[in-house]
Each structure stands twice: as structure tokens, then as C-alpha cells.
Amino acid sequence: MLLANDAQGQLILADRFQKKNGEKCFCPGCQGEVIFKCGPQKIPHFAHRSMQECQHFSEGETAEHLLGKHLLQQALPEDTQLEAYLPELAQRPDLLWRKLAVEFQCSTLSRKRFAERTSNYLAHGYTPWWLVGQQFFPQKHWRQVTSCCLQEAPFGLVLWGVEVDKKELLLFHSFDWHYQKGLFFETSSQTLQGQLFGEILSLAKVASKPCAWSVSDYQLRIQEKLNRKEKGVLLLQAQSYLHGVNLGALPLWGYTSGCHQALLQEGLLVLRGLYLAGFREFDSWYERGCQILDWPYFLVNRRRIYQEIFTECVLLAERFGSEETRKF
């Protein structure tokens, strides 16, 4: 933690603390005694003297998390509060600026706990801003924390991060997916100083080219995965088969690249298959899709995404003609 109480109950910041002989400091949450630490590996901070459970502060913060909070505080407005406790929520965001609750996530967090914290913020009128540390920067596949922190912006889906070594705010955007390459994206960065968000948002608005691939080759890849009984695709097929969908035998337009491919990846085949199987009303199609497919993107509106995919199914069926669709 970056702050503590002195013996008189006054808050003190770790980076301004000058330790005196015999002086004790205490946790602002549990009131337990904390010790001051400062060395070459970590910035100045406080830690609990005993390993007693504290519901207010996390123990064993990494150097990345400590430094990231410090950098974000310097970049945000002066009235930003560090580790401010919100009693009505029984939560303590890393940083709080008015109604913006900043969470810099550097360690594993369960989806359930993420949902609880986020729902609690929203229910009390706070806007959560989740940023990820280096181990959760996106790669070829989504990780749990990464997918949870993905959020919507006016120009598309984005993920925020902090690279503490470079003192940079990162914005991952323009997400797409290819059946051979996996997940890919673009990254914009801005030094954590000066006017936050200015340049980085303008860079993210640059349109990227949509992904394209060989439709017949993608179909062949799916058939090969089914034949090899690859776990992920086989599970999708088992659940889809109950609704009369064969993922390896869709009309060719079912294998074209489409909108929100990065979110659903091979799961997009399931939704197109349901449309082809006769679910032509959005609500029934949406209900079946939710039953089959997982949705780990807590901050992304699932219904809106599915609505755009449903509209795409209608347009693709019309574009490639109803004859091929009827053969299914």
C-alpha cells in the first residue's frame, strides 16, 4: 500500500514518509500495524507487520502494481485519491477521481470476483476503469483477466494497460482474429504525463483493414479439427448438434470472416449455423446462442454484439442467395 495512518490517525504517503525511531504506522483499513519498506527493487510502500487478514488492502503487492498506481496518480488530476476507501461499497479502488474508480490489475482475478467488484461500482454510480499489467497484455489467445477487462468505446473494443518500465499508458484496439494466426490487434501508447488520453485516443481511431481468408481452407480446417477431436471445436459441435447444426458442413458463406470474429472466433460458426437451422427470429436465435456459447467479456454488451452478428447473417444469406441456404 502507498499510504498509512500515523499514531495520530493522519494519512501519510509512502513517498513522502521520513521514518523516525520508534514511530509506528497503521493500516487505514484494518488498523493493524504496518512497516515502511524502501529499496532498489520497489518504490517506497507500507506492508502489514503480521500476515493477518485485511479486507481492505491486498498484501504482497508487486513492484509493477505499486509503481503503476504511482504513475497513474501523477497522470490523473491533482484531486485524484490514492487507495480511497468507499464504505458504502466496502471496496477500495487503486485510485479514485470523482466517480471514476481506477483498477490496475496485475494479478489473477476470478471472473466471479471481477463481476462482483464491477457490478458494485456501477450500482453505486461509479465508473470502473480497468487497466492490465504486463502479464495480461493480449496475445494470440484471450486470457481470463484480459477478456474481463475488455471494454467498449465509441470506435470499437479496447483494452487499457500500463507498461511501468516505459512509463506508458497503452491502448490495445482494432482487435481481429484469423484461424491460422489467432488474435491480433494494434497498440497505441502515450507517456504517462501531460494531458492523459489526448494523443492515444486519436491514434486508436485510425481504421484498420478487416481480416480476410480462404473460405474453403477455413472449412477444411474445421473439418480436420473435428476429425482429430480437438477439444474446443468438438465441444462446440456437441452442443450445436442438439440444434441440428454441423459445423463442418455449413454453406460456404458460413465460413467467411465476419464482424466480432475476435470475440467469438470459431464460436461464430455456431451462431451462423443456428440461423441456417431455422432460428430466423432474433430473440429465439439469441437465446440458443447464449445457451451454447460462453461470454467472458463482462464489460461488453452481449445483446448488442449478437444483434450485429444476426444482421450480418441475414445479409450474407441474401447476398449469396437462398438456394445454398436451403440445401443446409
Side-chain angles (χ1 to χ4, degrees), residues 63-232:
E64 179 186 29
H65 190 242
L66 288 165
L67 182 55
K69 288 192 297 185
H70 180 69
L71 292 171
L72 287 166
Q73 184 189 29
Q74 290 182 321
L76 289 165
E78 290 185 1
D79 56 341
T80 298
Q81 301 176 63
L82 178 68
E83 300 170 347
Y85 183 62
L86 303 175
E88 69 276 24
L89 285 74
Q91 289 181 192
R92 189 184 296 274
D94 290 326
L95 297 158
L96 182 68
W97 180 62
R98 299 180 183 178
K99 286 290 186 176
L100 180 67
V102 182
E103 294 278 11
F104 180 40
Q105 196 62 37
C106 297
S107 58
T108 301
L109 184 70
S110 70
R111 193 192 304 186
K112 179 182 178 181
R113 186 63 184 135
F114 180 91
E116 288 173 349
R117 290 184 67 83
T118 300
S119 297
N120 209 10
Y121 283 133
L122 295 173
H124 288 83
Y126 292 90
T127 299
W129 181 30
W130 290 89
L131 304 96
V132 297
Q134 189 167 8
Q135 71 164 314
F136 299 118
F137 290 172
Q139 299 176 9
K140 290 186 178 181
H141 305 282
W142 293 113
R143 297 186 61 184
Q144 180 173 282
V145 169
T146 308
S147 58
C148 283
C149 293
L150 188 71
Q151 55 194 282
E152 296 181 271
F155 46 86
L157 300 175
V158 300
L159 176 72
W160 294 94
V162 176
E163 189 164 6
V164 297
D165 291 340
K166 296 182 179 180
K167 299 182 180 180
E168 288 183 341
L169 175 69
L170 302 180
L171 181 61
F172 304 98
H173 57 95
S174 304
F175 289 95
D176 211 335
W177 178 84
H178 191 283
Y179 65 89
Q180 292 176 313
K181 304 174 184 177
L183 187 70
F184 58 96
F185 49 89
E186 295 182 19
T187 307
S188 299
S189 62
Q190 178 180 336
T191 302
L192 274 168
Q193 61 184 16
Q195 186 175 358
L196 204 60
F197 309 134
E199 181 182 357
I200 195 170
L201 291 179
S202 63
L203 292 173
K205 293 179 183 178
V206 178
S208 59
K209 295 181 179 179
C211 180
W213 57 54
S214 167
V215 173
S216 58
D217 186 52
Y218 183 35
Q219 181 184 34
L220 181 61
R221 291 297 181 96
I222 294 297
Q223 292 170 345
E224 290 174 346
K225 287 187 175 185
L226 289 171
N227 291 334
R228 291 196 303 266
K229 297 183 178 181
E230 288 195 10
K231 184 176 180 180

Side-chain angles (χ1 to χ4, degrees), residues 246-257:
N246 183 347
L247 300 182
L250 302 179
L252 285 179
W253 70 258
Y255 302 97
T256 59
S257 60

Side-chain angles (χ1 to χ4, degrees), residues 271-282:
L271 297 181
R272 290 178 175 177
L274 289 173
Y275 180 83
L276 288 161
F279 293 93
R280 303 298 171 86
E281 295 294 328
F282 174 75

Side-chain angles (χ1 to χ4, degrees), residues 40-83:
Q41 299 300 320
K42 288 189 177 183
I43 65 173
H45 67 286
F46 298 99
H48 286 84
R49 179 175 291 279
S50 66
M51 294 305 292
Q52 65 188 35
E53 185 177 357
C54 177
Q55 299 294 329
H56 305 279
F57 285 92
S58 61
E59 196 65 65
E61 284 186 274
T62 64
E64 179 186 29
H65 190 242
L66 288 165
L67 182 55
K69 288 192 297 185
H70 180 69
L71 292 171
L72 287 166
Q73 184 189 29
Q74 290 182 321
L76 289 165
E78 290 185 1
D79 56 341
T80 298
Q81 301 176 63
L82 178 68
E83 300 170 347

